[in-house]
Amino acid sequence: MLVVHTSLECYPVAKTGGLGDVVGSLPKFLNRKNVNAWVVIPKYDNDWANSRSYDVVHEGATYLGSQKFHYRMLREKVDELGFPLYMVDIPGRTDRPGIYVDPHSGYPYWDEFERYVSFQLAVLDWFKSFPQKPDVIHCHDHHTALIPFLINSCYIYSDLITVPTVLTIHNGEYHGSYDIGKAALLPKIKPEKFGFLEWNNRLNSLASGIRNCWKLTTVSTGYLRELQTDSSGLETLMQHEAPKSVGIINGIDDQVWDPATDPLIAHNFTAKTLEKGKKLNKEVLCKEFGLNPKLPVFSYIGRLAKEKGADLLPDLITAFLESGNEANFIVLGTGDPYLHHLFNHLKGRFVGYFNTSLQYNEKLAHQIYAGSDFLLMPSRVEPCGLNQMYALKYGTIPIVRRTGGLNDTVIDVGEPDGYGVCFNQFSLEDAWHAVSRAHSMFKIKDHMKIFRDRAVALDFSWDKSADKYIELYQSLNN
Ligand code: GLC
């Protein structure tokens, strides 16, 4: 069975968040289970992509509106990632360093729609050349969500009409919504199908994907339910498509995320050497950030975005430290410039208690998981969340708001077999209360040991979830 994943991100080639992790790991596990899973992404102008060798497997040309463009399909020569990786090279469109945002200006690329569409059109044009078509095309998020619509609706893709499509929503906040006039850039659409492109008088890529895909998945069951009641205008659509929808929780790549072998942490450890390993890694981390290793370390890793609740952190940290509590806080990530400013300010204000590294840094992230006591995830929305799983694997207790995948994966320490700290409302009070519970917990070493032992014993590997995807693919090919 050939399953082709189309995405804008794939770790380690191009990643801004969890989407990259999932597309960089699920196909590897599918291949281990004898599914021929490929990944196709744009050929970016970045260090990873520029330092590999490729075979040119196909060259073609197709139209964006009335403009003809040429593309090349490159295949990375050695299958270094554990699956065949293809990249679409469209000169003038894909060959840029950023995925969504121009790193020089900090703003999204001016032609984002044209860029995403060219990528999708090139992929479909390439599929047309296959003597045997893929068994499934698996699209991820709105950037590739036009594919199911294009196949169903454009005359030129009628050869592909029997190819099943799956759309996975990793982040339903972004719809890929544009002026409906942009439809002129697509190949000729069958008139009766035009309506499937439109949602509230706009061209809505995600909505079109939801309506046209054969199966719809979200990255947790909790998130699927949430989207059915709250998805910025797509609720009725999500309810209507419920029969073809399923939530499948993500797994983590335990080759990359294993404290026993992780080359990115200072001291490797196993379940047996957990306490010592945590202590040594905490010392390294505290030294790096100028913090006191005797105090609990609360960390935040990720995009500094509203969805993730990062805007709650400055007030939370200030309120907690100002009321006389002794604790360390670390923030690693980039995002909202205003939050950068606030965190830089806090850094000067709480020297020795708060420190931050306002960048994307994979290596440092691993060391923070290894050396922290708690990981803060006050997300407003969390479709799945991988960071809580990485944290647990490294014996770090997650403090999470009960939403989406966080609610599905973290059990509060107050419940039987619990191993995390959960809170309900997105509010300073609730988050403060959670941090304060964790802070008291930290003082009872035996309790911390019990929760850590439980955490590292959990299994969040891809094994079960990859099986669920395989079942889904098979159901489409019967
Ligand atoms: C997005 C979501 C995150 C999820 C990830 C992978 O980044 O925000 O919750 O874990 O996609 O599916």
Side-chain angles (χ1 to χ4, degrees):
M1 179 160 57
L2 172 62
V3 178
V4 184
H5 292 265
T6 59
S7 166
L8 282 215
E9 296 189 32
C10 176
Y11 177 79
V13 193
K15 164 178 165 178
T16 64
L19 168 64
D21 283 331
V22 170
V23 177
S25 54
L26 169 63
K28 180 155 82 182
F29 287 80
L30 292 171
N31 274 284
R32 286 199 203 143
K33 291 173 181 276
N34 293 323
V35 172
N36 187 10
W38 303 355
V39 172
V40 194
I41 61 170
K43 163 74 173 62
Y44 298 106
D45 181 11
N46 70 20
D47 289 348
W48 198 100
N50 292 341
S51 58
R52 270 35 185 205
S53 314
Y54 303 94
D55 289 317
V56 179
V57 295
H58 180 78
E59 291 190 53
T62 186
Y63 285 88
L64 178 73
S66 56
Q67 225 177 19
K68 189 168 182 179
F69 70 90
H70 292 265
Y71 70 90
R72 293 188 311 155
M73 292 298 316
L74 312 176
R75 178 178 172 162
E76 189 266 320
K77 264 190 199 278
V78 292
D79 285 357
E80 175 180 333
L81 304 184
F83 50 80
L85 173 71
Y86 292 86
M87 293 187 184
V88 189
D89 180 26
I90 309 174
R93 291 273 188 223
T94 60
D95 49 355
R96 300 180 197 166
I99 303 176
Y100 313 104
V101 169
D102 180 350
H104 302 302
S105 71
Y107 289 102
Y109 286 113
W110 63 274
D111 58 348
E112 58 172 25
F113 181 75
E114 287 77 359
R115 219 171 162 226
Y116 305 155
V117 172
S118 310
F119 169 66
Q120 297 172 86
L121 297 178
V123 171
L124 288 172
D125 193 65
W126 175 50
F127 289 153
K128 277 190 3 177
S129 74
F130 285 27
Q132 193 167 348
K133 307 295 180 232
D135 296 294
V136 177
I137 302 172
H138 191 151
C139 309
H140 296 270
D141 276 351
H142 79 83
H143 326 99
T144 61
L146 284 174
I147 286 178
F149 168 80
L150 293 168
I151 293 180
N152 288 349
S153 317
C154 297
Y155 296 102
I156 60 166
Y157 302 126
S158 52
D159 284 4
L160 299 171
I161 204 138
T162 53
V163 180
T165 49
V166 174
L167 171 65
T168 295
I169 304 181
H170 298 260
N171 188 340
E173 296 291 294
Y174 300 98
H175 292 185
S177 161
Y178 302 92
D179 188 284
I180 191 69
K182 293 264 183 200
L185 296 173
L186 305 179
K188 194 160 192 276
I189 298 167
K190 297 173 192 160
E192 73 276 15
K193 300 285 186 183
F194 192 83
F196 288 97
L197 187 60
E198 209 179 316
W199 192 254
N200 289 337
N201 303 318
R202 310 256 308 158
L203 183 164
N204 188 314
S205 314
L206 190 67
S208 87
I210 294 170
R211 298 159 100 186
N212 283 278
C213 68
W214 292 31
K215 286 278 179 191
L216 179 66
T217 78
T218 60
V219 289
S220 68
T221 44
Y223 187 52
L224 179 59
R225 281 194 304 272
E226 286 174 12
L227 287 179
Q228 287 164 351
T229 50
D230 180 7
S231 47
S232 322
L234 302 183
E235 298 78 8
T236 50
L237 188 54
M238 288 300 295
Q239 288 157 20
H240 185 255
E241 300 296 357
K244 69 171 185 194
S245 309
V246 53
I248 303 179
I249 194 90
N250 292 327
I252 62 174
D253 186 340
D254 45 14
Q255 275 184 336
V256 178
W257 298 97
D258 181 355
T261 54
D262 188 338
L264 302 180
I265 64 174
H267 299 278
N268 290 116
F269 59 94
T270 63
K272 282 209 185 101
T273 57
L274 179 58
E275 293 303 305
K276 189 162 166 234
K278 289 297 291 180
K279 185 166 178 282
L280 293 174
N281 281 301
K282 182 171 178 181
E283 279 164 10
V284 171
L285 184 67
C286 287
K287 197 157 174 228
E288 176 145 6
F289 281 104
L291 305 171
N292 175 359
K294 297 219 161 55
L295 301 179
V297 174
F298 295 86
S299 299
Y300 173 90
I301 300 176
R303 282 187 296 121
L304 304 179
K306 271 201 143 182
E307 275 161 75
K308 304 288 171 195
D311 54 324
L312 197 66
L313 294 172
D315 284 348
L316 176 64
I317 295 168
T318 305
F320 199 74
L321 291 176
E322 274 197 334
S323 38
N325 293 300
E326 292 232 294
N328 299 309
F329 290 90
I330 295 175
V331 170
L332 171 69
T334 60
D336 182 347
Y338 183 60
L339 286 177
H340 281 229
H341 164 77
L342 290 180
F343 287 128
N344 276 326
H345 172 74
L346 286 190
K347 198 163 150 173
R349 181 159 169 206
F350 295 114
V351 177
Y353 294 98
F354 173 75
N355 208 339
T356 176
S357 176
L358 300 174
Q359 54 164 327
Y360 169 83
N361 184 329
E362 200 72 17
K363 181 168 192 292
L364 190 52
H366 283 241
Q367 187 59 39
I368 296 178
Y369 287 117
S372 302
D373 297 294
F374 302 99
L375 185 80
L376 291 162
M377 294 186 77
S379 306
R380 278 191 179 76
V381 187
E382 197 62 81
C384 173
L386 296 166
N387 292 5
Q388 79 278 18
M389 302 191 214
Y390 299 145
L392 289 161
K393 183 93 188 177
Y394 286 65
T396 297
I397 305 301
I399 301 177
V400 306
R401 188 171 94 78
R402 280 199 176 99
T403 178
L406 294 176
N407 196 24
D408 290 3
T409 54
V410 181
I411 302 178
D412 190 86
V413 292
E415 292 166 38
D417 302 324
Y419 46 80
V421 178
C422 302
F423 63 99
N424 291 333
Q425 300 304 321
F426 184 84
S427 69
L428 186 57
E429 289 69 30
D430 269 32
W432 198 90
H433 184 63
V435 170
S436 149
R437 277 172 69 210
H439 192 257
S440 321
M441 217 165 98
F442 179 80
K443 296 185 186 135
I444 311 172
K445 297 276 172 258
D446 294 350
H447 284 186
M448 282 300 280
K449 183 172 178 335
I450 293 172
F451 302 138
R452 278 183 184 143
D453 285 344
R454 283 183 190 162
V456 296
L458 298 164
D459 178 12
F460 289 114
S461 73
W462 266 112
D463 201 43
K464 276 186 245 141
S465 297
D467 283 344
K468 291 195 178 140
Y469 279 112
I470 294 174
E471 249 174 63
L472 184 86
Y473 301 148
Q474 280 164 346
S475 74
L476 294 171
N477 277 284
N478 280 334

